[in-house]
Amino acid sequence: MQSNGPAWCHLREDRSNFAWNSIVNVVFMICLGVLCGCDAPIQTKSNPLPNLQVVDDPTLTLKPTKDAIVAASPSIVELNEVDVGQWVTATFLLKNQGTKPVSLRVASRSCSCARVQLEPSELKPGQISKVILSWVADMDQLALAEQLQVRVSAEVAVNDLRSFHFEAIAHLKPSIRVALPQGRLDFGIINTRDIITGQKQLVFEIYSQAEAKKHFHVQLQSGHAGIVISEPEPLTPERLAALQASSGYRIRIQLNRNMPAGPFREKVTILTSLYKHPLELTVVGLISHGALSLSSEGFNLASTQLSLSRGYRSAPLKLHLRYEPNRMVKVESVSPAFLKVNLIPVKENEWNVVLVMPTKDDPIWQQIRPEQLEEWQKYGFEMGEITCSSDHSDLKHFRIPIIGTRLMP
């Protein structure tokens, strides 16, 4: 049976069955995940857990299934200990044991940190396909617990009649650790006045417990001018002792008025001497402004069937500017690039915002790279946004979030 529900990613602490629900802000209900460049994929093997079988040999005997359409390799594989930013890969097998060709597709995957490849996706009778499940640990996961056992999964549909579940388990053992307020960098709801006075900030720590890595260095960068990051401050001996750390730093994050009103989700890049590749942490929050009123927090497309053949037109979201008459609003940009926005005046200082996805014959699709369209059709997009400007004296920029989904034919 095809799985149409949201993909899941289960993480648990080794000793206490710690369960992690999504750490994203309530506005962004699905995790946004942008995969960073990292080392080449590796395939690992360790002592398997009870009732688990490591799958790393394409010649393994396949188990016949009841419907006699395909045979599948064992569906769970245990991966070795992994560090932050390190790719691991598990390979599973599907064999067409019927007399007619079958079509495979990725019905769902557990999270944005997972990649699923089908090689090939069309099987002739007797042909075998490799289901390659790859995963990379990120800093946001690292913030949740001291030691994590991570389950990453994918559902592969056969002829859209039934699906197979494949799962990889890995143990996260990082060289670097983070101590975040309440497990995430979340400003919550912050008023523009608090941004001006600088009264609200987030403080977190990056540290290592390895004596051999006592003298590591760290540098942080943000891609948005509205996020201000302080110079890392070395932790005091008392704080190092409390964290059982050999070395570490304290960092402060503030916002300035370059951050538009509305919800935000930005990435902070971490460069350290412990890793050749950059790491990332997510910063979220909601900047409230008295001059802006929205009928809802954004557009949620998670349960919407975006179809290339039929197109899509959303219900209107009402936008209202207060305090100053005869103001104007302009849409500056929308992402992903295939979406369009109609701003329809209703009355003075009030508009209906309508989100539109054109059909496949619209010229906008000619501007989309084929590999990007394939990505949206296989995995979907997890979030987007509409950025707007206004001539209001106290509200120059704001944004409206978009919760994503997968594109259908």
Side-chain angles (χ1 to χ4, degrees):
M1 182 176 64
Q2 179 181 348
S3 174
N4 292 320
W8 60 273
C9 183
H10 177 69
L11 300 92
R12 66 182 184 185
E13 190 171 8
D14 287 341
R15 297 178 180 174
S16 61
N17 289 327
F18 177 87
W20 177 48
N21 294 325
S22 176
I23 67 169
V24 295
N25 186 277
V26 64
V27 177
F28 299 101
M29 300 300 292
I30 11 187
C31 44
L32 172 42
V34 179
L35 292 173
C36 63
C38 24
D39 296 337
I42 60 173
Q43 189 145 344
T44 57
K45 178 178 179 179
S46 64
N47 295 328
L49 296 175
N51 301 321
L52 300 185
Q53 181 175 354
V54 174
V55 179
D56 59 4
D57 183 359
T59 64
L60 286 177
T61 302
L62 300 176
K63 297 180 180 179
T65 57
K66 295 180 180 179
D67 58 13
I69 296 178
V70 295
S73 64
S75 60
I76 301 179
V77 56
E78 185 198 1
L79 302 174
N80 206 347
E81 292 178 341
V82 295
D83 203 344
V84 177
Q86 182 182 29
W87 282 89
V88 289
T89 301
T91 301
F92 307 89
L93 304 176
L94 284 171
K95 180 180 180 180
N96 182 0
Q97 60 183 21
T99 59
K100 296 180 180 179
V102 297
S103 177
L104 308 178
R105 71 173 182 85
V106 179
S108 66
R109 55 180 177 149
S110 58
C111 62
S112 61
C113 61
R115 292 281 181 174
V116 187
Q117 296 173 275
L118 302 176
E119 299 180 356
S121 59
E122 302 289 334
L123 293 183
K124 298 177 181 178
Q127 190 174 7
I128 294 176
S129 175
K130 292 183 180 180
V131 180
I132 303 173
L133 177 58
S134 301
W135 165 78
V136 61
D138 59 33
M139 291 290 286
D140 290 321
Q141 294 175 350
L142 176 60
L144 299 175
E146 288 295 318
Q147 292 181 329
L148 290 177
Q149 183 170 294
V150 184
R151 293 178 180 268
V152 185
S153 67
E155 298 280 341
V156 177
V158 180
N159 285 351
D160 285 334
L161 297 176
R162 63 161 300 175
S163 62
F164 288 86
H165 178 85
F166 298 106
E167 185 174 305
I169 301 173
H171 178 74
L172 184 58
K173 188 176 181 181
S175 299
I176 194 173
R177 298 185 184 276
V178 291
L180 304 184
Q182 298 181 346
R184 56 180 177 172
L185 292 177
D186 188 353
F187 276 93
I189 300 176
I190 179 170
N191 192 278
T192 50
R193 295 178 182 177
D194 295 329
I195 296 177
I196 295 172
T197 59
Q199 293 181 352
K200 194 162 186 178
Q201 62 180 356
L202 295 179
V203 180
F204 69 102
E205 295 158 326
I206 298 176
Y207 62 97
S208 173
Q209 294 179 322
E211 189 65 27
K213 299 170 181 176
K214 186 173 182 178
H215 302 290
F216 79 94
H217 304 285
V218 65
Q219 180 184 359
L220 284 87
Q221 302 172 350
S222 171
H224 197 289
I227 294 180
V228 181
I229 306 174
S230 70
E231 286 293 324
E233 307 168 9
L235 294 178
T236 63
E238 294 77 14
R239 186 56 181 159
L240 290 173
L243 294 172
Q244 298 181 343
S246 58
S247 181
Y249 300 88
R250 176 169 293 172
I251 297 102
R252 304 174 190 273
I253 296 181
Q254 292 179 293
L255 303 177
N256 63 33
R257 295 203 66 180
N258 290 326
M259 186 66 76
F264 65 89
R265 181 180 178 86
E266 301 293 341
K267 290 289 186 179
V268 171
T269 301
I270 302 172
L271 305 172
T272 81
S273 56
L274 300 180
Y275 298 92
K276 296 180 180 179
H277 47 269
L279 305 174
E280 290 183 325
L281 272 175
T282 305
V283 183
V284 298
L286 173 61
I287 300 177
S288 65
H289 199 295
L292 175 66
S293 173
L294 299 174
S295 60
S296 66
E297 293 176 325
F299 291 96
N300 189 344
L301 307 180
S303 59
T304 303
Q305 296 291 328
L306 291 186
S307 170
L308 290 171
S309 59
R310 298 192 307 269
Y312 172 77
R313 184 181 181 87
S314 73
L317 178 152
K318 292 189 180 298
L319 186 160
H320 178 68
L321 295 184
R322 300 189 182 101
Y323 310 139
E324 297 179 1
N326 300 316
R327 298 297 91 190
M328 296 298 296
V329 171
K330 179 182 178 182
V331 174
E332 297 289 344
S333 64
V334 58
S335 63
F338 61 82
L339 294 173
K340 296 182 178 181
V341 179
N342 293 336
L343 202 60
I344 306 170
V346 177
K347 55 185 179 182
E348 182 181 340
N349 279 23
E350 188 172 310
W351 296 262
N352 280 338
V353 184
V354 178
L355 193 63
V356 177
M357 188 190 83
T359 56
K360 59 185 177 181
D361 56 353
D362 191 280
I364 194 171
W365 294 105
Q366 299 176 9
Q367 306 172 24
I368 305 298
R369 292 180 288 108
E371 57 270 23
Q372 181 65 80
L373 180 58
E374 182 182 6
E375 174 80 7
W376 289 329
Q377 289 182 301
K378 276 188 176 181
Y379 306 118
F381 69 98
E382 291 179 322
M383 76 171 189
E385 67 176 15
I386 303 167
T387 59
C388 301
S389 61
S390 78
D391 58 356
H392 196 286
S393 63
D394 200 28
L395 182 66
K396 298 303 181 183
H397 298 92
F398 61 94
R399 50 182 157 187
I400 303 171
I402 301 170
I403 296 175
T405 187
R406 189 166 65 89
L407 301 189
M408 307 296 289

